[in-house]
Every structure is written in C-alpha cells, then in structure tokens.
Amino acid sequence: MNVRKYIFVIVSTLAALYACNNDDDNGGGGIAPLPDRTEQAAEDDAALVSYLKTHFYNYESFDNPPADFDYSIVIDTIAGDNSDKTPLMDQVETRVINFVDVDQNLYVLKEREGVGQKATIADSTFVLYEGQLLTGDVFDNAVTPVYFDLPGIISGTGQFTGVVEGFRQGIAGFGQASDITVSDVDGSIEFSNDYGIGAVFMPSGLAYYTDNGPGIIGSFDPIVFTFKLIQVNETDHDNDFFSSISEDLNGNNNLYDDDTDGDGFPNYLEADDDGDGTLTRDEITVNDINMDGIITPNEITLYDDDGDGISNHLDSDDTDPKND
C-alpha cells in the first residue's frame, strides 16, 4: 500500500532511509538531480497553505452526526453553497518536522483525539486511512483496518519497510479506541466509537520525495492522508526489553539517528546496542512485569560497572558486563 515507503538498503548503512537518495547536488550518472530540499519545501508549503485556505471538511457532521454517519473526514472546496465554511487553515495545527536537515511544515487536523493509548512514532498502529492528492484524486485507501509498523524493520533480504515520515509524525499523539475486543473464533476486532480521527497534510519532502511517485502521485506532490486510529501496540522491535520509543536516546522523535555502536543499524533494531558482543537484554535486569505484560522503565535495573556514567548496555568498554 502506498502509505508504506519501501527502501532497499545495503546492510552496512541506513543512510538510504534517512537521506532518501542524497542526489540533490549531482546527476548520478545521467539521472536528473533532485531539486534542493529547502526550495522544494517552500514550494510545497505554499501549495499546502493555498489548499488549506480554500478547502474545508465536514466538521458539521461531526458536531451533529446523523444516524448513518461513518465518522470519515470528507474534504471539499469552499465555493458556492459552501462559501461560508470554515477553512482547514483555521483548524489545523502546524508541526515543524526536521527531516534530512530541512525544517518542513506538517499540518495536522485533529478532529477527535481518541481516548485510549496514544500512538508514538515507534508504534504499530491499526488504522483505516485514505490517501489523496491536493486535486482530490485518491491514490490509496483501506476500507478495513490494517496494521502499520510506523518506523519499519529490515528484512533478511535487506528490504526496509516503514511509512512515510509525514504519516508517522502526523498520527503520533492520537489515541486508540477505549474498548477493543478480538474474537477467539475468527480473530475479528470490534471496537468502541471513540478512536482517534484526523488528517495530515504533508509536503513531498515528508512523503514521496521523487520525480516518479507511486501510482498517480506525480513529481514532488504534496499529499493528504485521512485516518482513523483503532488500536496502538507498543513495540520492542529488537526484543531487548527496551520499548522502541525509549531507544530515541536524544529525544528528537527520530529513531534512525540513535546508533550507539555506529554500525549503520539504529538502536531500536539492534539487539546489541553497544556492539560489545553481549546482548542488550543481558546487560540489564528486568524486574517484575506489570499485568499488561509491558515493561516500563522503572521495571528495568541498569548497571554501570566502570562508573563512567554510561549504562553497560550502551558502553562497549564496560569492565564487567552484568549477565543474568
């Protein structure tokens, strides 16, 4: 599905994911260079602002939902009978996302926050969604909920799969439904009608920064995703007892630039974060786990055997690793 972004990487580096082909300054053997990211961001932002000022969504249906309302965001042009509608520009929040060293504006519409567990950029989310161009043309959608692993993983063949940066950053902060039931018979999921509902409007630099986008997406098109967030699953991608979001060590909402041992794999995908030959999970002690099975930071005991202020699991030269 097009919300996913597939990037094939050499095992020794994850730069392809973060840099998205760093060909901005040269033609790379006859291939036309990508436009300057800063200039493209400004151009895309102008297009997005114009769109947000001239379009509205069906907020009145959410305010007074009819009996058959499906709680889907529908966007239309402010014109004619709709000329008195409130523009999206007055209803979105602006998030400045630094990606590939360029600050870019991401516009997020939070129609309903959702009452359950909040999503982070590191989680797996169960969502309904629709992707469209600023022209209104739909390029992707899911009519039944699907799971998206937001940050992605690397397969045995070196394929990296995650979602586009704008979707990952945009859905963060929305909550899941308060009541979710999984059938023991067929695995179907039923959920209460209090899940998060929103939309995210993103520049091409946070979407498909390419002159040959998937499907009907054109060269460097800004795009829109509407979504319903049904469920959030906290992740521990490398099974090291640290949740993936806790491995954002510098707290910049970017998992890909935390790579303690410098081997090209970020910590959230690295079972041995410091590359000292001892697994991260063997350099800590996990205390009693909550009934929900989720390990929280206060349930982990860290060790610093050489007293240098760096926990053993992040210190490749600790003198006496703790092995339990």
Side-chain angles (χ1 to χ4, degrees):
M1 298 191 181
N2 288 336
V3 69
R4 292 188 179 94
K5 188 173 188 178
Y6 295 99
I7 303 174
F8 292 86
V9 295
I10 299 174
V11 172
S12 63
T13 181
L14 255 159
L17 166 72
Y18 190 71
C20 298
N21 290 327
N22 191 18
D23 294 334
D24 296 12
D25 299 321
N26 62 76
I31 300 175
L34 297 177
D36 178 83
R37 282 185 174 271
T38 301
E39 294 176 0
Q40 187 64 46
E43 181 179 326
D44 289 351
D45 191 60
L48 286 168
V49 169
S50 176
Y51 176 89
L52 293 168
K53 287 181 176 179
T54 56
H55 289 75
F56 74 102
Y57 82 103
N58 54 332
Y59 56 88
E60 293 170 323
S61 295
F62 283 93
D63 292 340
N64 298 286
D68 59 349
F69 188 48
D70 65 357
Y71 291 87
S72 295
I73 290 175
V74 178
I75 299 173
D76 202 351
T77 305
I78 298 176
D81 292 340
N82 296 322
S83 59
D84 61 343
K85 303 301 184 184
T86 302
L88 282 161
M89 194 70 215
D90 293 346
Q91 298 172 306
V92 297
E93 63 178 81
T94 304
R95 300 180 186 176
V96 180
I97 308 298
N98 185 276
F99 189 64
V100 197
D101 296 325
V102 176
D103 286 341
Q104 302 182 63
N105 289 333
L106 184 71
Y107 299 97
V108 180
L109 173 68
K110 189 173 287 187
E111 163 52 42
R112 187 167 73 188
E113 184 175 274
V115 302
Q117 179 178 338
K118 299 298 188 289
T120 76
I121 56 139
D123 292 325
S124 172
T125 56
F126 193 52
V127 297
L128 290 157
Y129 73 93
E130 180 177 272
Q132 58 182 268
L133 306 178
L134 298 189
T135 60
D137 294 317
V138 175
F139 61 83
D140 192 17
N141 72 316
V143 296
T144 57
V146 295
Y147 279 104
F148 282 136
D149 178 12
L150 296 181
I153 61 173
I154 301 175
S155 71
T157 60
Q159 183 182 24
F160 189 93
T161 175
V163 303
V164 293
E165 185 70 11
F167 189 89
R168 175 169 47 250
Q169 296 286 350
I171 202 170
F174 283 82
Q176 67 174 14
S178 62
D179 185 24
I180 301 170
T181 304
V182 181
S183 170
D184 293 331
V185 177
D186 59 5
S188 61
I189 296 180
E190 295 183 357
F191 43 87
S192 54
N193 184 18
D194 53 7
Y195 47 82
I197 302 173
V200 58
F201 308 83
M202 66 187 73
S204 63
L206 298 178
Y208 306 97
Y209 193 71
T210 174
D211 57 3
N212 185 25
I216 64 172
I217 300 175
S219 296
F220 311 104
D221 276 341
I223 58 175
V224 180
F225 280 109
T226 60
F227 57 83
K228 302 175 185 178
L229 175 57
I230 308 303
Q231 186 178 26
V232 176
N233 290 323
E234 187 177 37
T235 57
D236 175 10
H237 285 84
D238 52 10
N239 196 30
D240 65 356
F241 293 143
F242 286 91
S243 64
S244 292
I245 190 61
S246 72
E247 302 204 65
D248 177 18
L249 301 181
N250 55 19
N252 67 348
N253 233 22
N254 177 8
L255 293 176
Y256 309 120
D257 64 357
D258 296 282
D259 178 13
T260 298
D261 59 7
D263 66 350
F265 287 94
N267 286 1
Y268 88 97
L269 293 176
E270 181 76 271
D272 177 9
D273 289 343
D274 57 7
D276 65 354
T278 303
L279 296 178
T280 294
R281 62 188 297 162
D282 292 332
E283 296 189 277
I284 63 174
T285 292
V286 177
N287 307 322
D288 292 336
I289 301 174
N290 288 335
M291 293 298 293
D292 61 7
I294 296 175
I295 299 170
T296 58
N298 63 356
E299 293 167 334
I300 295 176
T301 299
L302 304 178
Y303 302 92
D304 177 15
D305 290 333
D306 59 7
D308 63 355
I310 303 174
S311 174
N312 286 356
H313 76 286
L314 297 175
D315 189 354
S316 61
D317 63 354
D318 58 276
T319 59
D320 185 19
K322 179 70 177 178
N323 290 282
D324 296 319

